């Protein structure tokens, strides 16, 4: 089954079970850009336990992220994540929210997401909810942070690397303000857990050669040796 067919089949199936679900994140972004994608991100207005019951006929491969409402499945050789809408409390140690509250409010959920182009919700009928002008940013090929970039980067320093990697991956420019904030706060990256850093650098290397990644990171003042050390 093609990815798009699987996506809307799942969304409609959940809708029939009285669960409001939406394609979201990089999946909705790539769908709107007509790009191929394999990993499928779906958000749901229901609690994790309700989602789990609704998806019981599928292979659950991980519920390690259950605290955050995340369930991972493999369906037709594709990884599918079903995540409950949530509100997050203040972040600690530049990485994790102190509290998580499951909600039924798309707008509140959108406020915790990183970039405007990753916060576009698409329902089973193809209708779009876009609270932060993500569609306009897709059109203009710009990566812009939701909220104040200084606050959002201090919440989670990994957003710096995500912004850089996404810019390279889809050939979009960073919003001028976001780029300025990243350059001024680049040392926050080194505060991240070494395992977290290795995982993120590996994602860079999935799409680029080692020399390309080195050059890209150096352009932001980052040293590969410090990011990928053991």
């Amino acid at each position: 089954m093609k990815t798009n067919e699987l996506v809307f089949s799942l969304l409609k199936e959940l809708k029939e079970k009285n669960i409001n679900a939406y394609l979201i994140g990089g999946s909705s972004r790539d769908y709107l850009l007509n790009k191929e994608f394999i990993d499928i991100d779906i958000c749901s207005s229901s609690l994790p336990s309700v989602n789990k019951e609704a998806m019981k006929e599928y292979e659950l491969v991980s519920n390690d992220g259950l605290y955050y409402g995340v369930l991972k499945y493999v369906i037709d050789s594709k990884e599918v994540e079903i995540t409950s809408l949530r509100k997050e409390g203040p972040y600690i140690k530049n990485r994790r929210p102190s509290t998580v509250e499951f909600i039924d409010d798309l707008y509140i959920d959108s406020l915790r997401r990183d970039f405007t182009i990753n916060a576009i919700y698409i329902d089973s009928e193809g209708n779009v909810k876009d609270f932060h002008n993500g569609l306009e940013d897709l059109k203009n090929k710009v990566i812009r942070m939701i909220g104040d970039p200084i606050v959002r980067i201090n919440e989670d320093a990994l957003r710096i690397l995500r912004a850089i990697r996404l810019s390279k991956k889809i050939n979009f420019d960073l919003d001028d303000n976001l780029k300025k904030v990243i350059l001024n706060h680049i040392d926050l990256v080194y505060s991240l857990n070494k395992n977290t850093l290795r995982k993120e650098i590996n994602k860079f290397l999935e799409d680029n050669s080692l020399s390309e990644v080195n050059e890209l990171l150096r352009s932001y003042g980052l040293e590969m040796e410090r990011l990928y050390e053991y």
Side-chain angles (χ1 to χ4, degrees):
M1 186 183 296
K2 293 181 179 179
T3 303
N4 289 354
E5 293 175 356
L6 176 58
V7 163
F8 288 100
S9 174
L10 285 172
L11 292 177
K12 288 175 182 177
E13 180 180 338
L14 291 169
K15 183 69 173 178
E16 289 169 358
K17 296 177 180 178
N18 297 314
I19 295 175
N20 293 320
Y22 306 82
L23 190 67
I24 188 59
S27 299
S28 62
R29 177 198 72 224
D30 289 347
Y31 171 78
L32 291 167
L33 289 173
N34 294 312
K35 290 180 176 290
E36 291 186 10
F37 60 98
I38 299 176
D39 296 341
I40 299 170
D41 293 329
I42 291 174
C43 62
S44 158
S45 61
S46 297
L47 293 171
S49 58
V50 176
N51 295 333
K52 188 175 182 180
E53 175 64 21
M55 297 287 290
K56 62 184 179 182
E57 65 185 88
Y58 299 106
E59 179 188 1
L60 177 64
V61 296
S62 174
N63 62 359
D64 291 346
L66 191 59
Y67 176 79
Y68 298 99
V70 181
L71 299 168
K72 293 186 179 182
Y73 298 85
V74 171
I75 305 173
D76 196 27
S77 300
K78 298 175 179 66
E79 185 175 287
V80 178
E81 281 193 2
I82 309 287
T83 304
S84 296
L85 303 180
R86 68 179 187 257
K87 177 181 179 181
E88 297 178 340
Y91 276 58
I92 54 178
K93 296 182 179 179
N94 303 115
R95 186 69 186 100
R96 302 289 185 188
S98 55
T99 59
V100 170
E101 176 187 352
F102 299 122
I103 58 175
D104 182 9
D105 189 313
L106 290 180
Y107 175 71
I108 296 298
D109 180 78
S110 75
L111 295 176
R112 71 174 180 82
R113 298 186 178 273
D114 47 15
F115 313 116
T116 62
I117 59 174
N118 286 350
I120 302 171
Y121 301 78
I122 304 175
D123 70 13
S124 60
E125 302 300 321
N127 300 310
V128 171
K129 296 286 187 181
D130 175 22
F131 302 102
H132 306 284
N133 297 314
L135 291 174
E136 188 68 16
D137 288 338
L138 280 181
K139 179 181 176 182
N140 294 326
K141 297 186 175 182
V142 172
I143 297 172
R144 185 165 53 87
M145 190 75 77
I146 294 172
D148 185 340
I150 296 177
V151 173
R152 303 309 308 283
I153 282 173
N154 275 281
E155 283 179 344
D156 184 355
L158 188 59
R159 288 175 178 145
I160 293 175
L161 290 178
R162 285 177 179 161
I164 295 170
R165 179 167 60 84
L166 182 58
S167 175
K168 174 71 172 177
K169 181 176 181 178
I170 63 176
N171 197 27
F172 276 28
D173 292 326
L174 297 180
D175 168 74
D176 288 343
N177 188 34
L178 174 57
K179 187 170 185 178
K180 179 180 178 181
V181 169
I182 285 175
L183 290 171
N184 287 340
H185 295 79
I186 200 67
D187 283 347
L188 281 176
V189 171
Y190 296 116
S191 70
L192 291 167
N193 176 280
K194 287 181 171 50
N195 188 47
T196 298
L197 285 171
R198 283 195 294 271
K199 287 180 179 179
E200 192 65 22
I201 296 301
N202 284 337
K203 292 178 182 179
F204 276 82
L205 292 169
E206 288 175 4
D207 302 311
N208 306 279
S209 68
L210 179 58
S211 61
E212 288 174 327
V213 175
N214 263 315
E215 182 179 353
L216 177 61
L217 294 175
R218 278 200 300 269
S219 71
Y220 285 88
L222 292 168
E223 300 174 24
M224 171 71 91
E225 295 77 10
R226 290 181 63 189
L227 294 176
Y228 211 76
E229 63 183 1
Y230 284 88

